[in-house]
Amino acid sequence: MVKPTDILKEEPILEVRNLQTSFFTEKFEVKAVDGVNFAVPKGKTLGIVGESGSGKSITSLSILRLIQNPGKIIGGEILFKGENLLDKSEAQMRRVRGNEISMIFQEPMTSLNPVYTVGQQISESYRIHQNIGKKEAMLRSIDMLKLVGIPSPEQRVKQYPHELSGGMRQRVMIAMALACDPELLIADEPTTALDVTIQAQILELMKELQQRLGMSIVMITHDLGVVAETCDYVAVMYMGKVVEYAKVADLFKNPKHPYTVGLLNSLPRHDIDLGDEELTVIKGSVPSPDNMPKGCRFAPRCPFASEICVEQLPDLEQSEDGNQIRCWIYTDEWDGDPEVKVNG
Amino acid sequence: MAKELLKVTDLKQYFPIKGGMLGRTVNNVQAVDGVTFTVHEGETVSIVGESGCGKSTTGRAILRLDEPTGGQVEFDGEDLLALNNRQMRKKRKDLQIIFQDPYASINPRQTVRQVLEEALEIQNVVPKAERAAKIAELMETVGLGAHQADRFPHEFSGGQRQRIGIARALSVDPKLIIADEAVSALDVSIQAQVINLMKKLQRDFSLTYLFISHDLGVVRHISDRVIVMYLGKIVEIGDKTSIFDNPQHPYTKALLSAIPVPDPDIETKKERIILQGDVPSPINPPAGCRFHTRCPFATDRCKTEVPELRTEEHMKEGHQGACHYIKEIQAGTHEAKY
């Protein structure tokens, strides 16, 4: 069995082992995260990419133990600097959240409190986690706003979220998340709601801050372009499982899993003209969670699926270039066409 | 060249802001401010731009879903703005729209059959006796099963719902379809299926598309010509090769360079132009060139003088940009400030 840290060159700051998070309805159990493994390198960025329903957001919420009823983390380990977060008490967890690990969300308007000023909201984390007085906390908030590139921060701290544009709000969210100098930042689709020119500003800011502060980032996104631009490693998720886990350069140069290949092919690009050619599509759609395929989750949509794929779930295995892949094609058990070319 | 199907001239759409004690109009949101373009039969013209640039408002104004403030909209030689409501409703048989959110644009209490039947009935496309057959045919055309017609929208996935939206638009045999962010809400694997479907339908039914989108990857794939809008005005217009491979306006260049490409090799090499600041409010748009507040090339002239769309010598026919310094930037004699 491969370990998620195997592919890293760096020390891991976070290691997730066999994480399982399920939602329980009256009729059935939805396995949103179904045995996920990955590791986040110190000072670098891990991307988690997948389409709706792949479990990428639930994974990130699970790391901070923010899963609420009817959801539950039912198994696995989340090792942050060697300690299992799942063993911690709620009080201990509170000291981790926002202090050692913080998170930014997709929609800055709904994650900021509309009735407090920006300054009050940033100050709060200083006052809670570092026991700093009101005045001093406000001064530090102004510094934070300066750090994230907000012009005239002395005025901005007194403003309410609705007085700011979308890009400015996301900068405020980042300022809040970084206030206590966390070692790990989880960014859940941080630029999805923003226009591309603003997205470029925010991604640039995050990269610059990472270099300056040396933090690690988990970047959760559906956008493979964002992965290519910001990440060092990437885990591709499909139906609650990691199907491919690789160094970013390898994933784009030599994608191995039929799902990854399908995703890359179905993406129309502004820098490549296909002429009248059709986009290559992944047929069908993601099965509903109460109708989970028993073998490989991707088998019903996979153009290469053979008998073993339908019957048995493959494990995440090491490939010859040191990355990890969950697909029968790359194993000795493969019973389909021995000459099959996934990426052709 | 194919004939002009849609001709939009100096289209303006202002939304009044009421205020004060008497509820008078105190100001206007200039959502679309003097937009002129034509769409030829059988082609796909895309309007691209970021939020608030007026691309959706343009689409809605053409259909008169919002009554335009000024300008002309000619469709197939007929002035749409001169029609009364009843005539306009008839006319909408030829101009259909597909919306972004397939969850919000289909009545959840109607079955797909009822949705399609309503369209067929209002426009009286086929006699009553043939409607069932027409509905079955439409379902198959958009890649759904005829047996699914009696289901409700919630029984379909997002991609399937968007197919229903397309079937509804197609049901009245339109000439022009305005697709307003029609694939933006879909996951990439599903998005590709719907794009392929739309291209196939265009060939099979000789449709004309006005495709409104913020996604330049999708736009490059689907369009013949592209219109780039910024704050209610067209900044650049041209065939897709001109726009994507030889952009002239500083805004178009910045927009294209801002898109992350799924290829780390290109990402590390490419020079990204990062624009400063946000899009200004359309309530009091900047005087002169509306882009001057963020433009790395802006001068004092840009603050006062509105640039007209023009074709310079080095540009292809039909490729126009609205910038005072296209020639100088191309020649390298006018440098960026940041």
Side-chain angles (χ1 to χ4, degrees):
Chain A
M1 186 73 187
V2 289
K3 287 207 301 289
T5 46
D6 288 349
I7 78 167
L8 301 187
K9 279 179 282 186
E10 300 82 0
E11 283 286 296
I13 186 157
L14 179 84
E15 187 183 344
V16 171
R17 288 187 193 156
N18 195 25
L19 178 70
Q20 292 158 283
T21 305
S22 285
F23 289 81
F24 295 90
T25 69
E26 271 175 28
K27 287 187 216 126
F28 52 86
E29 172 190 355
V30 176
K31 294 181 173 170
V33 177
D34 192 9
V36 159
N37 293 290
F38 59 81
V40 185
K42 233 178 215 159
K44 300 277 177 182
T45 304
L46 169 82
I48 301 182
V49 64
E51 298 180 285
S52 346
S54 61
K56 55 189 192 302
S57 288
I58 300 301
T59 302
S60 65
L61 292 173
S62 301
I63 296 171
L64 280 174
R65 286 182 39 200
L66 292 171
I67 299 293
Q68 287 179 336
N69 243 338
K72 209 168 174 254
I73 300 174
I74 53 171
E77 284 172 288
I78 300 169
L79 301 170
F80 178 65
K81 294 195 288 183
E83 284 179 61
N84 188 357
L85 294 183
L86 298 181
D87 292 338
K88 289 195 184 288
S89 70
E90 190 46 41
Q92 287 171 321
M93 243 353 254
R94 220 173 295 140
R95 282 198 285 277
V96 172
R97 288 185 202 124
N99 197 22
E100 294 181 85
I101 306 178
S102 27
M103 186 157 180
I104 49 179
F105 299 91
Q106 173 173 353
E107 194 21 87
M109 198 57 213
T110 48
S111 5
L112 288 170
N113 192 328
V115 299
Y116 289 102
T117 64
V118 164
Q120 285 168 325
Q121 295 185 59
I122 304 174
S123 299
E124 197 184 358
S125 38
Y126 286 119
R127 302 185 61 203
I128 291 172
H129 290 298
Q130 299 184 350
N131 231 339
I132 287 170
K134 225 180 188 169
K135 264 213 182 111
E136 172 67 19
M138 198 53 90
L139 287 176
R140 288 199 186 185
S141 305
I142 293 172
D143 285 342
M144 277 319 290
L145 290 184
K146 214 179 280 166
L147 181 74
V148 297
I150 291 186
S152 48
E154 293 82 5
Q155 274 85 56
R156 293 291 185 177
V157 279
K158 296 179 208 139
Q159 290 190 318
Y160 291 89
H162 75 265
E163 298 176 79
L164 306 176
S165 68
M168 284 295 162
R169 280 183 211 138
Q170 201 56 291
R171 283 175 195 265
V172 169
M173 282 294 297
I174 294 173
M176 262 168 86
L178 300 186
C180 291
D181 210 357
E183 289 167 73
L184 177 64
L185 176 70
I186 301 174
D188 187 357
E189 304 264 13
T191 57
T192 304
L194 305 175
D195 281 317
V196 272
T197 60
I198 308 298
Q199 164 169 292
Q201 292 174 357
I202 298 289
L203 293 180
E204 190 68 18
L205 171 72
M206 289 180 69
K207 279 195 281 192
E208 186 197 310
L209 290 175
Q210 178 173 38
Q211 271 185 357
R212 197 158 2 148
L213 309 173
M215 63 184 168
S216 316
I217 298 179
V218 178
M219 176 72 79
I220 291 161
T221 180
H222 70 282
D223 187 333
L224 288 158
V226 170
V227 172
E229 192 189 328
T230 60
C231 300
D232 301 290
Y233 299 87
V234 55
V236 182
M237 286 188 70
Y238 185 77
M239 285 197 91
K241 290 196 176 289
V242 173
V243 295
E244 187 161 3
Y245 176 43
K247 294 168 214 83
V248 161
D250 296 344
L251 185 96
F252 286 95
K253 210 169 276 158
N254 185 17
K256 288 201 170 63
H257 198 283
Y259 176 63
T260 315
V261 174
L263 270 188
L264 284 166
N265 285 342
S266 53
L267 194 67
R269 285 172 56 167
H270 79 277
D271 58 334
I272 293 175
D273 205 315
L274 290 175
D276 280 335
E277 231 176 279
E278 281 208 327
L279 290 169
T280 323
V281 302
I282 302 176
K283 65 177 181 184
S285 53
V286 182
S288 90
D290 59 331
N291 183 24
M292 188 95 87
K294 83 170 172 187
C296 172
R297 306 294 188 243
F298 188 57
R301 302 177 72 190
C302 183
F304 310 106
S306 76
E307 211 170 303
I308 191 166
C309 307
V310 179
E311 292 302 321
Q312 282 181 59
L313 181 72
D315 277 328
L316 203 56
E317 305 270 12
Q318 184 152 347
S319 60
E320 71 254 33
D321 54 2
N323 297 313
Q324 295 175 13
I325 176 95
R326 187 190 290 280
C327 177
W328 284 119
I329 294 176
Y330 302 94
T331 65
D332 298 335
E333 287 89 352
W334 173 239
D335 60 349
D337 176 5
E339 300 287 305
V340 64
K341 277 230 167 7
V342 174
N343 186 13
Chain B
M1 187 161 235
K3 76 166 182 182
E4 286 176 357
L5 185 64
L6 177 73
K7 193 169 172 190
V8 176
T9 315
D10 200 24
L11 186 70
K12 287 195 174 87
Q13 181 65 280
Y14 294 174
F15 296 107
I17 300 167
K18 308 270 183 191
M21 235 176 20
L22 301 170
R24 282 203 203 110
T25 302
V26 291
N27 213 333
N28 286 301
V29 177
Q30 303 179 14
V32 175
D33 196 15
V35 160
T36 302
F37 64 90
T38 47
V39 181
H40 300 276
E41 204 160 47
E43 75 172 345
T44 301
V45 174
S46 291
I47 306 182
V48 302
E50 300 178 283
S51 346
C53 73
K55 54 189 190 300
S56 292
T57 309
T58 304
R60 295 178 60 89
I62 290 167
L63 280 173
R64 285 176 63 191
L65 295 177
D66 300 310
E67 213 51 57
T69 313
Q72 279 112 46
V73 179
E74 238 174 77
F75 180 78
D76 220 354
E78 196 173 2
D79 182 5
L80 288 187
L81 302 187
L83 301 179
N84 66 27
N85 281 346
R86 238 189 65 228
Q87 291 165 321
M88 189 61 210
R89 195 178 311 131
K90 273 229 162 100
K91 201 77 217 164
R92 291 210 181 92
K93 180 183 173 308
D94 293 335
L95 300 96
Q96 284 290 304
I97 184 163
I98 308 168
F99 296 99
Q100 170 171 6
D101 186 352
Y103 293 82
S105 53
I106 300 168
N107 187 342
R109 289 164 187 270
Q110 285 184 328
T111 62
V112 177
R113 182 182 305 283
Q114 287 169 323
V115 170
L116 297 176
E117 209 153 53
E118 193 174 16
L120 293 174
E121 191 181 331
I122 291 171
Q123 296 294 356
N124 205 7
V125 184
V126 288
K128 208 169 175 183
E130 291 166 30
R131 274 183 206 154
K134 172 87 182 171
I135 289 169
E137 183 195 319
L138 276 168
M139 294 290 282
E140 310 252 319
T141 309
V142 298
L144 296 169
H147 63 281
Q148 290 172 309
D150 291 307
R151 296 195 187 158
F152 287 93
H154 75 261
E155 295 175 75
F156 294 90
S157 67
Q160 288 173 320
R161 272 186 229 212
Q162 203 53 298
R163 289 172 193 265
I164 296 169
I166 294 172
R168 178 174 61 183
L170 273 185
S171 65
V172 296
D173 302 326
K175 292 181 183 147
L176 174 78
I177 292 184
I178 298 178
D180 188 359
E181 300 277 12
V183 297
S184 305
L186 307 174
D187 275 322
V188 269
S189 70
I190 305 300
Q191 175 179 287
Q193 296 172 359
V194 175
I195 292 171
N196 284 349
L197 172 69
M198 287 186 67
K199 285 195 94 164
K200 180 177 180 297
L201 294 175
Q202 181 167 37
R203 286 194 300 272
D204 294 354
F205 298 96
S206 43
L207 294 168
T208 306
Y209 287 140
L210 183 62
F211 194 86
I212 296 164
S213 178
H214 72 281
D215 186 329
L216 285 122
V218 174
V219 165
R220 170 150 212 176
H221 185 65
I222 206 162
S223 321
D224 299 305
R225 286 191 303 130
V226 179
I227 296 168
V228 184
M229 284 183 74
Y230 184 80
L231 260 186
K233 284 195 179 290
I234 294 179
V235 295
E236 189 161 358
I237 181 167
D239 62 62
K240 72 168 166 182
T241 331
S242 301
I243 296 287
F244 285 97
D245 295 338
N246 189 24
Q248 294 298 317
H249 197 284
Y251 177 65
T252 315
K253 290 180 188 176
L255 191 64
L256 287 170
S257 87
I259 308 165
V261 177
D263 185 336
D265 284 349
I266 297 178
E267 274 303 320
T268 46
K269 274 184 230 137
K270 111 172 161 194
E271 247 185 80
R272 175 159 284 139
I273 308 166
I274 298 203
L275 289 178
Q276 289 173 354
D278 288 312
V279 182
S281 153
I283 297 174
N284 284 309
C289 172
R290 292 191 173 184
F291 185 54
H292 83 252
T293 55
R294 300 173 79 199
C295 182
F297 297 97
T299 65
D300 284 341
R301 182 179 174 202
C302 304
K303 290 178 192 161
T304 50
E305 208 178 306
V306 180
E308 296 294 329
L309 281 168
R310 73 188 79 201
T311 307
E312 297 289 357
E313 271 166 29
H314 65 280
M315 292 158 73
K316 243 165 93 178
E317 199 197 322
H319 183 191
Q320 297 178 301
C323 170
H324 295 305
Y325 296 107
I326 290 179
K327 241 194 309 195
E328 290 81 353
I329 294 171
Q330 174 75 17
T333 54
H334 187 77
E335 302 251 331
K337 283 193 299 262
Y338 64 85

